[in-house]
Amino acid sequence: MPSPKAKNNCGRSGSIPGVTSNGRYEFMSLSRSPPPHLLQRQGSDPTSARLRASESPTRRRGSGSSNASSSSATGGQQLPEEDCMRLNPSFVGIALSSLLAIDLWLSKRLGVCACEDSSWGSIRPLMKLVEISGHGIPWLAGALYCLYKSDSAAGQEVMLNLLMALVMDLVLVAVVKAVVRRRRPTHNRMDMFATFSVDRYSFPSGHATRAAMCARFLLAHLVLAAPLRVLVLLWAVLVGFSRVLLGRHNVTDVVFGFGMGYCQYNLVEMLWVSPLGLQLMMGQMG
Ligand SMILES: CC(C)=CCC/C(C)=C/COP(=O)(O)O
């Protein structure tokens, strides 16, 4: 016997059963209006009227009176295969809510440097140093400085592309934050320096996207010695961890941020500006 929730989902997500004039069940799509004979029956049939009255307000608001006939018609019977497959979204929903609940719980437990009197509050200054190492301003300033100081065409090319990658990262993160609008954890103290207004939102972590993208950039173009490559990777991981320990982000913000930063580097490679391309661009502008 399907659970009330399952029946509800089946009804909401597609076809709804009704009883035809010859007494057989028929299915119709929610996107189409029910035939008039069914509308009339829903209004007059005392059983379906009783079921409608016992519906929860949410269900009544969400799916209209047609769901009442869904409950009465399926009652105890096996649902057609097509409708059973539509139960899946509710499981996906439950899985997602569980993941979010675990995320909130874990992030709160890991926010051990969220303030000075937290359990690991003594290492908060160290974590804030790590935070600064992944902040946009030192990275933009560093790339600009190296671009200015570089005397080889190859060096200038790499620095110019790093600069563009950093700007693109800021824009993409701002767009996703503005769309998703997930609030920062309640235990976060908003004492970060130089933030944009979208930085009151936490999904995804801008530090994590930058750390992942810059780490890939450094490994591909600048850092060749094996011990330094390990250090770059450790730094990126530490930046991610520090976001959760400081209470700035939930775990999922950082995990998504790492994934997004990793993919952003692919975009940087695709849009790579070569000296020739730059000359052509300059020529077209001049
Ligand atoms: C002002 C500039 C150039 C960058 C802002 C960098 C910043 C504060 C990002 C927020 O990072 P999280 O999303 O990880 O908290």
Side-chain angles (χ1 to χ4, degrees):
M1 166 124 181
S3 72
K5 211 175 176 122
K7 267 192 265 171
N8 203 358
N9 193 289
C10 273
R12 209 183 307 129
S13 61
S15 34
I16 51 171
V19 187
T20 58
S21 48
N22 60 12
R24 295 179 55 187
Y25 292 127
E26 72 176 13
F27 283 80
M28 57 197 172
S29 164
L30 273 178
S31 55
R32 277 183 283 137
S33 340
H37 68 274
L38 283 180
L39 279 177
Q40 209 180 348
R41 192 177 301 274
Q42 283 161 12
S44 56
D45 172 25
T47 315
S48 56
R50 233 187 356 263
L51 278 166
R52 272 200 310 281
S54 64
E55 272 183 339
S56 76
T58 339
R59 196 173 158 204
R60 238 178 290 152
R61 217 182 303 125
S63 50
S65 61
S66 51
N67 262 352
S69 59
S70 164
S71 313
S72 60
T74 52
Q77 291 197 4
Q78 238 185 347
L79 293 163
E81 195 182 333
E82 182 201 11
D83 278 40
C84 289
M85 288 169 75
R86 288 192 180 126
L87 293 176
N88 287 340
S90 75
F91 291 116
V92 171
I94 291 168
L96 269 181
S97 339
S98 312
L99 177 71
L100 283 183
I102 294 171
D103 181 33
L104 292 182
W105 170 80
L106 190 62
S107 310
K108 186 146 191 153
R109 291 211 67 175
L110 291 176
V112 288
C113 310
C115 49
E116 279 77 13
D117 47 2
S118 304
S119 51
W120 287 24
S122 54
I123 63 161
R124 187 175 160 84
L126 191 65
M127 288 299 115
K128 289 193 80 170
L129 262 182
V130 176
E131 174 173 78
I132 292 170
S133 75
H135 194 285
I137 290 198
W139 275 93
L140 284 171
L144 267 174
Y145 179 77
C146 293
L147 179 63
Y148 171 69
K149 280 285 174 189
S150 179
D151 43 16
S152 73
Q156 284 170 358
E157 177 183 341
V158 169
M159 284 306 140
L160 182 73
N161 281 283
L162 178 58
L163 209 56
M164 291 195 304
L166 289 168
V167 174
M168 181 190 76
D169 169 64
L170 286 176
V171 173
L172 290 180
V173 169
V175 168
V176 180
K177 279 187 174 180
V179 169
V180 178
R181 290 168 178 251
R182 183 187 202 187
R183 290 273 166 197
R184 286 189 187 265
T186 46
H187 54 281
N188 171 47
R189 253 178 45 200
M190 199 57 197
D191 56 353
M192 253 191 299
F193 80 100
T195 55
F196 294 115
S197 65
V198 281
D199 289 325
R200 64 180 183 277
Y201 301 122
S202 76
F203 187 93
S205 160
H207 278 72
T209 59
R210 196 159 31 250
M213 185 190 74
C214 290
R216 279 195 77 190
F217 195 105
L218 292 181
L219 294 182
H221 298 283
L222 293 165
V223 181
L224 300 176
L228 284 181
R229 292 172 79 82
V230 173
L231 274 185
V232 168
L233 284 177
L234 283 180
W235 165 79
V237 172
L238 190 59
V239 168
F241 263 112
S242 72
R243 307 313 289 153
V244 180
L245 298 186
L246 282 168
R248 305 272 193 239
H249 290 279
N250 296 304
V251 177
T252 44
D253 304 333
V254 173
V255 171
F256 186 89
F258 275 145
M260 184 170 158
Y262 187 92
C263 296
Q264 277 175 192
Y265 180 72
N266 293 346
L267 207 58
V268 172
E269 289 278 280
M270 272 166 55
L271 304 174
W272 190 265
V273 177
S274 62
L276 188 66
L278 198 63
Q279 272 174 15
L280 283 175
M281 262 170 25
M282 298 292 206
Q284 277 182 351
M285 284 199 296

